[in-house]
Amino acid sequence: QVQLVESGGGLVQAGGSLRLSCVASVRTFSNYAMGWFRQAPGKEREFVAAVSWRAEMPLFADSVKGRFTISRDNAKNTVTLQMNSLQFEDTAIYYCAASRRGFTSSGGFYDYWGQGTQVTVSS
């Protein structure tokens, strides 16, 4: 069983930045691809970013490319989402997820999910 705990959400003005962190309670963190997803009110969950086991060639949704970066520290069981130039449309609950089945933008391949952290961007 993998437990994921997100932190770092909050209220920020448009154009500002936030850093989300996710800590995983698992011994073999490096065996998991890690992803960030988000869900805005009234909308379906959508992919944001993912990083592979070795942090090579991260994936990003088109809507966040050039503004968000993702990184991981396998020694600390942590994955981080740095969000810059935030826009009102980025307002959502952000979820961290872990997958042993694939490095992918598809949420169906992620087996473990955190409780989420709220990000609110004021326009």
Side-chain angles (χ1 to χ4, degrees):
Q1 189 74 8
V2 178
Q3 291 187 326
L4 304 173
V5 179
E6 304 98 334
S7 62
L11 174 65
V12 64
Q13 289 187 332
S17 299
L18 280 176
R19 175 176 291 187
L20 304 183
S21 293
C22 173
V23 179
S25 62
V26 62
R27 287 191 298 176
T28 56
F29 179 71
S30 60
N31 289 349
Y32 291 82
M34 299 299 296
W36 286 95
F37 293 77
R38 68 187 181 186
Q39 187 167 20
K43 296 186 177 181
E44 293 187 353
R45 181 185 66 195
E46 66 175 1
F47 169 75
V48 176
V51 62
S52 66
W53 304 267
R54 298 182 180 180
E56 300 164 335
M57 296 295 291
L59 298 174
F60 294 97
D62 288 344
S63 59
V64 306
K65 279 181 181 177
R67 300 188 298 121
F68 291 11
T69 60
I70 186 170
S71 61
R72 67 187 295 161
D73 184 338
N74 288 340
K76 296 181 179 180
N77 284 17
T78 300
V79 60
T80 300
L81 184 70
Q82 177 67 43
M83 306 186 294
N84 299 326
S85 301
L86 283 161
Q87 304 167 355
F88 176 75
E89 294 73 21
D90 295 317
T91 296
I93 298 174
Y94 283 70
Y95 298 91
C96 173
S99 170
R100 288 196 66 174
R101 294 186 285 156
F103 172 48
T104 175
S105 61
S106 175
F109 281 83
Y110 288 80
D111 304 297
Y112 303 101
W113 295 80
Q115 292 298 307
T117 185
Q118 176 71 48
V119 171
T120 303
V121 184
S122 61
S123 58

